[in-house]
Amino acid sequence: MEARIELEEWRGSSSAKLSRTAVLTADSSSIALTRYGSRWSEVRRKILEAFVPEGYPGSVTPDYLPFQVWDSLQGLSTYIRSMLSTQALLSAIGVGEKSATVIGATFQWFLRDFTGMLGGILFTFYQGSNLDSNAKMWRLVADFMNDLGMLMDLVSPLFPSALIAIVCFGSLSRSFTGVASGATRAALTQHFSLENNAADISAKEGSQETLATMMGMAFGMLLAHVTRGHPLAVWISFLLLTVFHMYANYKAVRCLSLKTLNNERSSLLLQCFMETGQVLSPQQVSSMEHVFPAWFWSWSSSHTATLYRHITLGVKVSSLKHSDAMELAGSASLHYKKVNYLLLERDGHIQVIIHKQSTPQDILQSFIHALVILKLLDKAKAVHIESRQWMDNNYTVFLAKLRSAGWSTERLLSHSIVWRAHWVHDFSDDKIN
């Protein structure tokens, strides 16, 4: 009997995404190779691999593609405008003028860079721990500050007497952009990753940004050449591209359906659960949450929509009044024996004291408990008792439904909690020390 073997060649990063590329058939006297797919398909696949993560689309979340499309478009508009603003800045510091000195231009450039570096350090000090809790908002803020920095560069030739102040202010704005965009990009990369491929996603994002940069520089140079000597055309082009840039950024962050719990998303989820018994999906919450800073929309929002803004996590115990401390001691022995936090309600505002041994799960529970109190505040007379009963009966169910809907319940993304407290319950006579 003649021996015959047939081998199939398959290509793909996972068993669910395999495609047959060739079949090798061999016997004792001959061998035959049959290929599948055109050469053009192979070239297109290799080009695509340079810009999308391995295993795409199964290796990333569904919101990866729409976000990257809008992000690339906003990046393209940024690099086109950067050619116009850089041209104006170089003109302002005297490039091309015989009266300009090398040392003068060098000093101005040094002062510009120094201000930006100092601003980046200060911004990280004040806001570094808050960036991942509001990644969407800070993404928009970062790009707005970048637009402001470019605007300052474009304005600089118009006010030569204030050149250094304008240039330094523009550099300061861009330094905020560098810190905020870098931090939020890291948070979004973790969100997109489904197969522990954050490094691959980050590398391919770098390729996409490089391509957008190259295209933006080419179009920017063409636009700078066309508008040379026409200040009005420069300003119109810059402003139109800036409007498109902010629109693309807004569409990009609106595409995101983050699965982590921050203050606002937790508030939206809990209010829906208490009213209907159901848990919203990440996509539903994404369409409801705000992406602009609180001062931009808080005046037009209802009280129930901003419950989370009436909660202070990690209150400093030494800042409490004597009457507040006494009430806290009494309620702690009655309502908070089994948890690692204490809650104090004053005029519709909840202050949360965190135990020094509390875990991320305890912090999440304390925040949800505070939201429950605020939700029951107008309906219940004994709000601490009723909120504790609600937590005992529903909190575990609430977390289980969150997990089944795709939410990450390991921790609450909030500002860094630096103030904690330590207390011991004396169960013999129900006192707290």
Side-chain angles (χ1 to χ4, degrees), residues 325 327-343 353-355 357 388 421-433:
E327 179 182 337
L328 199 63
S331 64
S333 61
L334 292 174
H335 311 300
Y336 302 103
K337 290 181 179 180
K338 300 179 182 180
V339 295
N340 285 331
Y341 58 86
L342 304 173
L343 304 180
I353 294 90
I354 301 296
H355 196 278
Q357 295 179 348
R388 184 192 64 191
H422 180 70
W423 60 88
V424 178
H425 288 285
D426 186 352
F427 293 100
S428 61
D429 54 1
D430 287 334
K431 290 182 178 180
I432 183 172
N433 299 319

PDB file of all heavy atoms in Angstrom, residues 325 327-343 353-355 357 388 421-433:
ATOM      1  N   ALA A 325     -17.299  64.113  66.475  1.00  0.00           N
ATOM      2  CA  ALA A 325     -16.542  62.969  66.971  1.00  0.00           C
ATOM      3  C   ALA A 325     -17.370  62.136  67.941  1.00  0.00           C
ATOM      4  O   ALA A 325     -17.322  60.894  67.916  1.00  0.00           O
ATOM      5  CB  ALA A 325     -15.258  63.458  67.641  1.00  0.00           C
ATOM      6  N   GLU A 327     -20.704  61.920  68.002  1.00  0.00           N
ATOM      7  CA  GLU A 327     -21.732  61.220  67.220  1.00  0.00           C
ATOM      8  C   GLU A 327     -21.127  60.045  66.462  1.00  0.00           C
ATOM      9  O   GLU A 327     -21.737  58.972  66.357  1.00  0.00           O
ATOM     10  CB  GLU A 327     -22.394  62.186  66.244  1.00  0.00           C
ATOM     11  CG  GLU A 327     -23.466  61.529  65.380  1.00  0.00           C
ATOM     12  CD  GLU A 327     -24.094  62.475  64.378  1.00  0.00           C
ATOM     13  OE1 GLU A 327     -24.041  63.696  64.606  1.00  0.00           O
ATOM     14  OE2 GLU A 327     -24.625  61.986  63.364  1.00  0.00           O
ATOM     15  N   LEU A 328     -19.929  60.243  65.964  1.00  0.00           N
ATOM     16  CA  LEU A 328     -19.249  59.186  65.234  1.00  0.00           C
ATOM     17  C   LEU A 328     -18.961  57.990  66.130  1.00  0.00           C
ATOM     18  O   LEU A 328     -19.144  56.831  65.723  1.00  0.00           O
ATOM     19  CB  LEU A 328     -17.947  59.734  64.657  1.00  0.00           C
ATOM     20  CG  LEU A 328     -17.305  58.948  63.516  1.00  0.00           C
ATOM     21  CD1 LEU A 328     -18.215  58.920  62.301  1.00  0.00           C
ATOM     22  CD2 LEU A 328     -15.967  59.565  63.149  1.00  0.00           C
ATOM     23  N   ALA A 329     -18.536  58.270  67.377  1.00  0.00           N
ATOM     24  CA  ALA A 329     -18.261  57.188  68.319  1.00  0.00           C
ATOM     25  C   ALA A 329     -19.524  56.396  68.636  1.00  0.00           C
ATOM     26  O   ALA A 329     -19.503  55.163  68.744  1.00  0.00           O
ATOM     27  CB  ALA A 329     -17.659  57.755  69.601  1.00  0.00           C
ATOM     28  N   GLY A 330     -20.649  57.109  68.764  1.00  0.00           N
ATOM     29  CA  GLY A 330     -21.907  56.420  69.059  1.00  0.00           C
ATOM     30  C   GLY A 330     -22.401  55.579  67.899  1.00  0.00           C
ATOM     31  O   GLY A 330     -22.790  54.422  68.081  1.00  0.00           O
ATOM     32  N   SER A 331     -22.369  56.123  66.702  1.00  0.00           N
ATOM     33  CA  SER A 331     -22.850  55.377  65.536  1.00  0.00           C
ATOM     34  C   SER A 331     -21.913  54.234  65.179  1.00  0.00           C
ATOM     35  O   SER A 331     -22.350  53.198  64.662  1.00  0.00           O
ATOM     36  CB  SER A 331     -23.010  56.310  64.339  1.00  0.00           C
ATOM     37  OG  SER A 331     -21.754  56.848  63.953  1.00  0.00           O
ATOM     38  N   ALA A 332     -20.612  54.383  65.476  1.00  0.00           N
ATOM     39  CA  ALA A 332     -19.655  53.329  65.158  1.00  0.00           C
ATOM     40  C   ALA A 332     -19.955  52.064  65.941  1.00  0.00           C
ATOM     41  O   ALA A 332     -19.890  50.953  65.410  1.00  0.00           O
ATOM     42  CB  ALA A 332     -18.236  53.807  65.445  1.00  0.00           C
ATOM     43  N   SER A 333     -20.278  52.227  67.218  1.00  0.00           N
ATOM     44  CA  SER A 333     -20.562  51.064  68.052  1.00  0.00           C
ATOM     45  C   SER A 333     -21.893  50.415  67.716  1.00  0.00           C
ATOM     46  O   SER A 333     -22.116  49.251  68.025  1.00  0.00           O
ATOM     47  CB  SER A 333     -20.535  51.466  69.528  1.00  0.00           C
ATOM     48  OG  SER A 333     -21.528  52.441  69.792  1.00  0.00           O
ATOM     49  N   LEU A 334     -22.773  51.153  67.041  1.00  0.00           N
ATOM     50  CA  LEU A 334     -24.095  50.623  66.711  1.00  0.00           C
ATOM     51  C   LEU A 334     -24.177  50.085  65.281  1.00  0.00           C
ATOM     52  O   LEU A 334     -24.806  49.054  65.040  1.00  0.00           O
ATOM     53  CB  LEU A 334     -25.156  51.720  66.891  1.00  0.00           C
ATOM     54  CG  LEU A 334     -25.417  52.193  68.331  1.00  0.00           C
ATOM     55  CD1 LEU A 334     -26.375  53.371  68.318  1.00  0.00           C
ATOM     56  CD2 LEU A 334     -25.978  51.047  69.180  1.00  0.00           C
ATOM     57  N   HIS A 335     -23.567  50.790  64.320  1.00  0.00           N
ATOM     58  CA  HIS A 335     -23.816  50.488  62.913  1.00  0.00           C
ATOM     59  C   HIS A 335     -22.596  50.040  62.121  1.00  0.00           C
ATOM     60  O   HIS A 335     -22.758  49.534  61.008  1.00  0.00           O
ATOM     61  CB  HIS A 335     -24.394  51.728  62.216  1.00  0.00           C
ATOM     62  CG  HIS A 335     -25.544  52.360  62.941  1.00  0.00           C
ATOM     63  ND1 HIS A 335     -26.715  51.681  63.199  1.00  0.00           N
ATOM     64  CD2 HIS A 335     -25.707  53.603  63.485  1.00  0.00           C
ATOM     65  CE1 HIS A 335     -27.559  52.481  63.849  1.00  0.00           C
ATOM     66  NE2 HIS A 335     -26.959  53.652  64.039  1.00  0.00           N
ATOM     67  N   TYR A 336     -21.381  50.219  62.630  1.00  0.00           N
ATOM     68  CA  TYR A 336     -20.194  49.951  61.818  1.00  0.00           C
ATOM     69  C   TYR A 336     -19.218  49.006  62.507  1.00  0.00           C
ATOM     70  O   TYR A 336     -18.006  49.148  62.381  1.00  0.00           O
ATOM     71  CB  TYR A 336     -19.501  51.278  61.470  1.00  0.00           C
ATOM     72  CG  TYR A 336     -20.401  52.241  60.742  1.00  0.00           C
ATOM     73  CD1 TYR A 336     -20.974  53.321  61.409  1.00  0.00           C
ATOM     74  CD2 TYR A 336     -20.714  52.055  59.407  1.00  0.00           C
ATOM     75  CE1 TYR A 336     -21.829  54.201  60.753  1.00  0.00           C
ATOM     76  CE2 TYR A 336     -21.563  52.921  58.738  1.00  0.00           C
ATOM     77  CZ  TYR A 336     -22.118  53.992  59.420  1.00  0.00           C
ATOM     78  OH  TYR A 336     -22.966  54.848  58.775  1.00  0.00           O
ATOM     79  N   LYS A 337     -19.766  48.010  63.217  1.00  0.00           N
ATOM     80  CA  LYS A 337     -18.912  47.075  63.937  1.00  0.00           C
ATOM     81  C   LYS A 337     -18.165  46.130  62.994  1.00  0.00           C
ATOM     82  O   LYS A 337     -17.036  45.736  63.276  1.00  0.00           O
ATOM     83  CB  LYS A 337     -19.744  46.243  64.913  1.00  0.00           C
ATOM     84  CG  LYS A 337     -20.290  47.012  66.110  1.00  0.00           C
ATOM     85  CD  LYS A 337     -21.070  46.082  67.019  1.00  0.00           C
ATOM     86  CE  LYS A 337     -21.614  46.815  68.234  1.00  0.00           C
ATOM     87  NZ  LYS A 337     -22.375  45.927  69.141  1.00  0.00           N
ATOM     88  N   LYS A 338     -18.799  45.777  61.889  1.00  0.00           N
ATOM     89  CA  LYS A 338     -18.251  44.729  61.024  1.00  0.00           C
ATOM     90  C   LYS A 338     -17.518  45.271  59.797  1.00  0.00           C
ATOM     91  O   LYS A 338     -17.143  44.500  58.921  1.00  0.00           O
ATOM     92  CB  LYS A 338     -19.384  43.803  60.566  1.00  0.00           C
ATOM     93  CG  LYS A 338     -20.116  43.114  61.710  1.00  0.00           C
ATOM     94  CD  LYS A 338     -21.242  42.246  61.170  1.00  0.00           C
ATOM     95  CE  LYS A 338     -22.017  41.572  62.300  1.00  0.00           C
ATOM     96  NZ  LYS A 338     -23.125  40.728  61.783  1.00  0.00           N
ATOM     97  N   VAL A 339     -17.341  46.571  59.722  1.00  0.00           N
ATOM     98  CA  VAL A 339     -16.704  47.153  58.541  1.00  0.00           C
ATOM     99  C   VAL A 339     -15.506  48.000  58.954  1.00  0.00           C
ATOM    100  O   VAL A 339     -15.384  48.404  60.119  1.00  0.00           O
ATOM    101  CB  VAL A 339     -17.702  48.015  57.738  1.00  0.00           C
ATOM    102  CG1 VAL A 339     -18.812  47.145  57.165  1.00  0.00           C
ATOM    103  CG2 VAL A 339     -18.286  49.129  58.595  1.00  0.00           C
ATOM    104  N   ASN A 340     -14.659  48.278  57.987  1.00  0.00           N
ATOM    105  CA  ASN A 340     -13.436  49.052  58.238  1.00  0.00           C
ATOM    106  C   ASN A 340     -13.575  50.499  57.792  1.00  0.00           C
ATOM    107  O   ASN A 340     -12.671  51.073  57.170  1.00  0.00           O
ATOM    108  CB  ASN A 340     -12.245  48.400  57.527  1.00  0.00           C
ATOM    109  CG  ASN A 340     -11.765  47.146  58.228  1.00  0.00           C
ATOM    110  OD1 ASN A 340     -11.904  47.014  59.440  1.00  0.00           O
ATOM    111  ND2 ASN A 340     -11.220  46.223  57.463  1.00  0.00           N
ATOM    112  N   TYR A 341     -14.702  51.095  58.105  1.00  0.00           N
ATOM    113  CA  TYR A 341     -14.920  52.505  57.806  1.00  0.00           C
ATOM    114  C   TYR A 341     -16.018  53.045  58.713  1.00  0.00           C
ATOM    115  O   TYR A 341     -16.798  52.279  59.302  1.00  0.00           O
ATOM    116  CB  TYR A 341     -15.305  52.709  56.338  1.00  0.00           C
ATOM    117  CG  TYR A 341     -16.539  51.950  55.909  1.00  0.00           C
ATOM    118  CD1 TYR A 341     -17.823  52.488  56.086  1.00  0.00           C
ATOM    119  CD2 TYR A 341     -16.448  50.696  55.319  1.00  0.00           C
ATOM    120  CE1 TYR A 341     -18.960  51.801  55.707  1.00  0.00           C
ATOM    121  CE2 TYR A 341     -17.578  49.999  54.934  1.00  0.00           C
ATOM    122  CZ  TYR A 341     -18.834  50.549  55.126  1.00  0.00           C
ATOM    123  OH  TYR A 341     -19.953  49.863  54.750  1.00  0.00           O
ATOM    124  N   LEU A 342     -16.064  54.368  58.822  1.00  0.00           N
ATOM    125  CA  LEU A 342     -17.096  55.070  59.570  1.00  0.00           C
ATOM    126  C   LEU A 342     -17.681  56.157  58.683  1.00  0.00           C
ATOM    127  O   LEU A 342     -16.957  56.783  57.911  1.00  0.00           O
ATOM    128  CB  LEU A 342     -16.515  55.705  60.848  1.00  0.00           C
ATOM    129  CG  LEU A 342     -15.797  54.776  61.832  1.00  0.00           C
ATOM    130  CD1 LEU A 342     -15.154  55.595  62.942  1.00  0.00           C
ATOM    131  CD2 LEU A 342     -16.755  53.750  62.414  1.00  0.00           C
ATOM    132  N   LEU A 343     -18.986  56.385  58.808  1.00  0.00           N
ATOM    133  CA  LEU A 343     -19.666  57.383  57.990  1.00  0.00           C
ATOM    134  C   LEU A 343     -20.327  58.422  58.875  1.00  0.00           C
ATOM    135  O   LEU A 343     -20.992  58.083  59.860  1.00  0.00           O
ATOM    136  CB  LEU A 343     -20.727  56.729  57.094  1.00  0.00           C
ATOM    137  CG  LEU A 343     -20.248  55.616  56.156  1.00  0.00           C
ATOM    138  CD1 LEU A 343     -21.404  55.069  55.341  1.00  0.00           C
ATOM    139  CD2 LEU A 343     -19.148  56.118  55.236  1.00  0.00           C
ATOM    140  N   ILE A 353     -14.543  58.055  57.028  1.00  0.00           N
ATOM    141  CA  ILE A 353     -13.278  57.817  57.733  1.00  0.00           C
ATOM    142  C   ILE A 353     -12.835  56.400  57.425  1.00  0.00           C
ATOM    143  O   ILE A 353     -13.583  55.440  57.674  1.00  0.00           O
ATOM    144  CB  ILE A 353     -13.424  58.024  59.258  1.00  0.00           C
ATOM    145  CG1 ILE A 353     -13.717  59.500  59.577  1.00  0.00           C
ATOM    146  CG2 ILE A 353     -12.166  57.594  59.983  1.00  0.00           C
ATOM    147  CD1 ILE A 353     -15.171  59.846  59.606  1.00  0.00           C
ATOM    148  N   ILE A 354     -11.656  56.253  56.880  1.00  0.00           N
ATOM    149  CA  ILE A 354     -11.145  54.955  56.436  1.00  0.00           C
ATOM    150  C   ILE A 354     -10.200  54.382  57.491  1.00  0.00           C
ATOM    151  O   ILE A 354      -9.314  55.071  57.979  1.00  0.00           O
ATOM    152  CB  ILE A 354     -10.407  55.091  55.090  1.00  0.00           C
ATOM    153  CG1 ILE A 354     -11.333  55.658  54.019  1.00  0.00           C
ATOM    154  CG2 ILE A 354      -9.851  53.750  54.636  1.00  0.00           C
ATOM    155  CD1 ILE A 354     -12.513  54.793  53.675  1.00  0.00           C
ATOM    156  N   HIS A 355     -10.408  53.106  57.836  1.00  0.00           N
ATOM    157  CA  HIS A 355      -9.519  52.424  58.777  1.00  0.00           C
ATOM    158  C   HIS A 355      -8.158  52.185  58.127  1.00  0.00           C
ATOM    159  O   HIS A 355      -8.065  51.983  56.918  1.00  0.00           O
ATOM    160  CB  HIS A 355     -10.143  51.088  59.205  1.00  0.00           C
ATOM    161  CG  HIS A 355      -9.523  50.502  60.435  1.00  0.00           C
ATOM    162  ND1 HIS A 355      -8.348  49.778  60.411  1.00  0.00           N
ATOM    163  CD2 HIS A 355      -9.913  50.535  61.730  1.00  0.00           C
ATOM    164  CE1 HIS A 355      -8.046  49.374  61.638  1.00  0.00           C
ATOM    165  NE2 HIS A 355      -8.986  49.828  62.464  1.00  0.00           N
ATOM    166  N   GLN A 357      -6.305  49.698  58.189  1.00  0.00           N
ATOM    167  CA  GLN A 357      -6.132  48.350  57.663  1.00  0.00           C
ATOM    168  C   GLN A 357      -7.154  48.009  56.576  1.00  0.00           C
ATOM    169  O   GLN A 357      -7.267  46.857  56.164  1.00  0.00           O
ATOM    170  CB  GLN A 357      -6.234  47.332  58.802  1.00  0.00           C
ATOM    171  CG  GLN A 357      -5.126  47.453  59.831  1.00  0.00           C
ATOM    172  CD  GLN A 357      -5.261  46.448  60.965  1.00  0.00           C
ATOM    173  OE1 GLN A 357      -6.301  45.810  61.107  1.00  0.00           O
ATOM    174  NE2 GLN A 357      -4.213  46.313  61.770  1.00  0.00           N
ATOM    175  N   ARG A 388     -27.712  50.439  56.639  1.00  0.00           N
ATOM    176  CA  ARG A 388     -26.984  49.228  57.024  1.00  0.00           C
ATOM    177  C   ARG A 388     -27.775  47.986  56.629  1.00  0.00           C
ATOM    178  O   ARG A 388     -27.214  47.004  56.141  1.00  0.00           O
ATOM    179  CB  ARG A 388     -26.738  49.236  58.539  1.00  0.00           C
ATOM    180  CG  ARG A 388     -25.882  48.052  59.025  1.00  0.00           C
ATOM    181  CD  ARG A 388     -25.921  47.954  60.524  1.00  0.00           C
ATOM    182  NE  ARG A 388     -27.278  47.646  60.987  1.00  0.00           N
ATOM    183  CZ  ARG A 388     -27.659  47.710  62.261  1.00  0.00           C
ATOM    184  NH1 ARG A 388     -26.810  48.109  63.188  1.00  0.00           N
ATOM    185  NH2 ARG A 388     -28.884  47.392  62.598  1.00  0.00           N
ATOM    186  N   ALA A 421      -7.478  56.212  59.796  1.00  0.00           N
ATOM    187  CA  ALA A 421      -7.653  56.226  61.251  1.00  0.00           C
ATOM    188  C   ALA A 421      -7.602  54.798  61.784  1.00  0.00           C
ATOM    189  O   ALA A 421      -7.687  53.827  61.025  1.00  0.00           O
ATOM    190  CB  ALA A 421      -8.988  56.879  61.615  1.00  0.00           C
ATOM    191  N   HIS A 422      -7.464  54.690  63.083  1.00  0.00           N
ATOM    192  CA  HIS A 422      -7.465  53.379  63.733  1.00  0.00           C
ATOM    193  C   HIS A 422      -8.386  53.434  64.937  1.00  0.00           C
ATOM    194  O   HIS A 422      -8.342  54.379  65.727  1.00  0.00           O
ATOM    195  CB  HIS A 422      -6.045  53.001  64.178  1.00  0.00           C
ATOM    196  CG  HIS A 422      -5.976  51.661  64.853  1.00  0.00           C
ATOM    197  ND1 HIS A 422      -6.161  50.482  64.170  1.00  0.00           N
ATOM    198  CD2 HIS A 422      -5.759  51.325  66.145  1.00  0.00           C
ATOM    199  CE1 HIS A 422      -6.055  49.474  65.017  1.00  0.00           C
ATOM    200  NE2 HIS A 422      -5.807  49.949  66.219  1.00  0.00           N
ATOM    201  N   TRP A 423      -9.242  52.454  65.053  1.00  0.00           N
ATOM    202  CA  TRP A 423     -10.138  52.375  66.204  1.00  0.00           C
ATOM    203  C   TRP A 423     -10.361  50.910  66.559  1.00  0.00           C
ATOM    204  O   TRP A 423     -10.161  50.008  65.741  1.00  0.00           O
ATOM    205  CB  TRP A 423     -11.481  53.063  65.920  1.00  0.00           C
ATOM    206  CG  TRP A 423     -12.258  52.480  64.772  1.00  0.00           C
ATOM    207  CD1 TRP A 423     -13.147  51.452  64.796  1.00  0.00           C
ATOM    208  CD2 TRP A 423     -12.192  52.903  63.406  1.00  0.00           C
ATOM    209  NE1 TRP A 423     -13.642  51.204  63.549  1.00  0.00           N
ATOM    210  CE2 TRP A 423     -13.086  52.089  62.669  1.00  0.00           C
ATOM    211  CE3 TRP A 423     -11.477  53.902  62.728  1.00  0.00           C
ATOM    212  CZ2 TRP A 423     -13.274  52.229  61.304  1.00  0.00           C
ATOM    213  CZ3 TRP A 423     -11.664  54.037  61.376  1.00  0.00           C
ATOM    214  CH2 TRP A 423     -12.549  53.220  60.668  1.00  0.00           C
ATOM    215  N   VAL A 424     -10.759  50.690  67.800  1.00  0.00           N
ATOM    216  CA  VAL A 424     -10.987  49.337  68.309  1.00  0.00           C
ATOM    217  C   VAL A 424     -12.342  49.302  68.984  1.00  0.00           C
ATOM    218  O   VAL A 424     -12.647  50.152  69.830  1.00  0.00           O
ATOM    219  CB  VAL A 424      -9.881  48.910  69.320  1.00  0.00           C
ATOM    220  CG1 VAL A 424     -10.167  47.527  69.852  1.00  0.00           C
ATOM    221  CG2 VAL A 424      -8.512  48.979  68.664  1.00  0.00           C
ATOM    222  N   HIS A 425     -13.172  48.341  68.621  1.00  0.00           N
ATOM    223  CA  HIS A 425     -14.469  48.171  69.260  1.00  0.00           C
ATOM    224  C   HIS A 425     -14.318  47.355  70.533  1.00  0.00           C
ATOM    225  O   HIS A 425     -13.631  46.325  70.554  1.00  0.00           O
ATOM    226  CB  HIS A 425     -15.435  47.441  68.325  1.00  0.00           C
ATOM    227  CG  HIS A 425     -15.896  48.267  67.173  1.00  0.00           C
ATOM    228  ND1 HIS A 425     -16.819  49.264  67.290  1.00  0.00           N
ATOM    229  CD2 HIS A 425     -15.530  48.233  65.855  1.00  0.00           C
ATOM    230  CE1 HIS A 425     -17.034  49.812  66.110  1.00  0.00           C
ATOM    231  NE2 HIS A 425     -16.256  49.211  65.218  1.00  0.00           N
ATOM    232  N   ASP A 426     -14.940  47.832  71.596  1.00  0.00           N
ATOM    233  CA  ASP A 426     -15.009  47.080  72.840  1.00  0.00           C
ATOM    234  C   ASP A 426     -16.387  46.435  72.896  1.00  0.00           C
ATOM    235  O   ASP A 426     -17.376  47.047  73.274  1.00  0.00           O
ATOM    236  CB  ASP A 426     -14.794  48.015  74.034  1.00  0.00           C
ATOM    237  CG  ASP A 426     -14.707  47.258  75.350  1.00  0.00           C
ATOM    238  OD1 ASP A 426     -14.970  46.034  75.342  1.00  0.00           O
ATOM    239  OD2 ASP A 426     -14.400  47.873  76.385  1.00  0.00           O
ATOM    240  N   PHE A 427     -16.473  45.159  72.534  1.00  0.00           N
ATOM    241  CA  PHE A 427     -17.769  44.500  72.406  1.00  0.00           C
ATOM    242  C   PHE A 427     -18.412  44.181  73.751  1.00  0.00           C
ATOM    243  O   PHE A 427     -19.587  43.862  73.815  1.00  0.00           O
ATOM    244  CB  PHE A 427     -17.625  43.208  71.597  1.00  0.00           C
ATOM    245  CG  PHE A 427     -17.270  43.454  70.166  1.00  0.00           C
ATOM    246  CD1 PHE A 427     -15.969  43.327  69.725  1.00  0.00           C
ATOM    247  CD2 PHE A 427     -18.239  43.829  69.258  1.00  0.00           C
ATOM    248  CE1 PHE A 427     -15.640  43.568  68.404  1.00  0.00           C
ATOM    249  CE2 PHE A 427     -17.922  44.073  67.919  1.00  0.00           C
ATOM    250  CZ  PHE A 427     -16.607  43.941  67.508  1.00  0.00           C
ATOM    251  N   SER A 428     -17.652  44.301  74.840  1.00  0.00           N
ATOM    252  CA  SER A 428     -18.223  43.997  76.157  1.00  0.00           C
ATOM    253  C   SER A 428     -19.268  45.015  76.566  1.00  0.00           C
ATOM    254  O   SER A 428     -20.298  44.700  77.148  1.00  0.00           O
ATOM    255  CB  SER A 428     -17.115  43.900  77.209  1.00  0.00           C
ATOM    256  OG  SER A 428     -16.438  45.154  77.299  1.00  0.00           O
ATOM    257  N   ASP A 429     -19.013  46.290  76.262  1.00  0.00           N
ATOM    258  CA  ASP A 429     -19.984  47.324  76.631  1.00  0.00           C
ATOM    259  C   ASP A 429     -20.310  48.237  75.453  1.00  0.00           C
ATOM    260  O   ASP A 429     -20.771  49.347  75.613  1.00  0.00           O
ATOM    261  CB  ASP A 429     -19.472  48.163  77.807  1.00  0.00           C
ATOM    262  CG  ASP A 429     -18.094  48.751  77.520  1.00  0.00           C
ATOM    263  OD1 ASP A 429     -17.593  48.503  76.399  1.00  0.00           O
ATOM    264  OD2 ASP A 429     -17.537  49.405  78.408  1.00  0.00           O
ATOM    265  N   ASP A 430     -20.030  47.725  74.206  1.00  0.00           N
ATOM    266  CA  ASP A 430     -20.397  48.454  72.976  1.00  0.00           C
ATOM    267  C   ASP A 430     -19.820  49.858  72.954  1.00  0.00           C
ATOM    268  O   ASP A 430     -20.520  50.836  72.686  1.00  0.00           O
ATOM    269  CB  ASP A 430     -21.913  48.512  72.793  1.00  0.00           C
ATOM    270  CG  ASP A 430     -22.489  47.176  72.378  1.00  0.00           C
ATOM    271  OD1 ASP A 430     -21.736  46.381  71.765  1.00  0.00           O
ATOM    272  OD2 ASP A 430     -23.651  46.942  72.643  1.00  0.00           O
ATOM    273  N   LYS A 431     -18.534  49.944  73.226  1.00  0.00           N
ATOM    274  CA  LYS A 431     -17.866  51.245  73.152  1.00  0.00           C
ATOM    275  C   LYS A 431     -16.786  51.176  72.075  1.00  0.00           C
ATOM    276  O   LYS A 431     -16.316  50.118  71.703  1.00  0.00           O
ATOM    277  CB  LYS A 431     -17.242  51.619  74.501  1.00  0.00           C
ATOM    278  CG  LYS A 431     -18.275  51.946  75.583  1.00  0.00           C
ATOM    279  CD  LYS A 431     -17.577  52.359  76.859  1.00  0.00           C
ATOM    280  CE  LYS A 431     -18.586  52.732  77.944  1.00  0.00           C
ATOM    281  NZ  LYS A 431     -17.917  53.131  79.197  1.00  0.00           N
ATOM    282  N   ILE A 432     -16.383  52.334  71.618  1.00  0.00           N
ATOM    283  CA  ILE A 432     -15.313  52.418  70.644  1.00  0.00           C
ATOM    284  C   ILE A 432     -14.196  53.274  71.217  1.00  0.00           C
ATOM    285  O   ILE A 432     -14.426  54.294  71.840  1.00  0.00           O
ATOM    286  CB  ILE A 432     -15.817  53.024  69.308  1.00  0.00           C
ATOM    287  CG1 ILE A 432     -14.687  53.029  68.291  1.00  0.00           C
ATOM    288  CG2 ILE A 432     -16.377  54.405  69.491  1.00  0.00           C
ATOM    289  CD1 ILE A 432     -15.128  53.428  66.913  1.00  0.00           C
ATOM    290  N   ASN A 433     -12.969  52.790  71.030  1.00  0.00           N
ATOM    291  CA  ASN A 433     -11.797  53.507  71.502  1.00  0.00           C
ATOM    292  C   ASN A 433     -11.049  54.058  70.297  1.00  0.00           C
ATOM    293  O   ASN A 433     -10.762  53.327  69.372  1.00  0.00           O
ATOM    294  CB  ASN A 433     -10.885  52.577  72.293  1.00  0.00           C
ATOM    295  CG  ASN A 433     -11.588  52.011  73.528  1.00  0.00           C
ATOM    296  OD1 ASN A 433     -12.307  52.739  74.207  1.00  0.00           O
ATOM    297  ND2 ASN A 433     -11.407  50.711  73.791  1.00  0.00           N
TER     298      ASN A 433
END
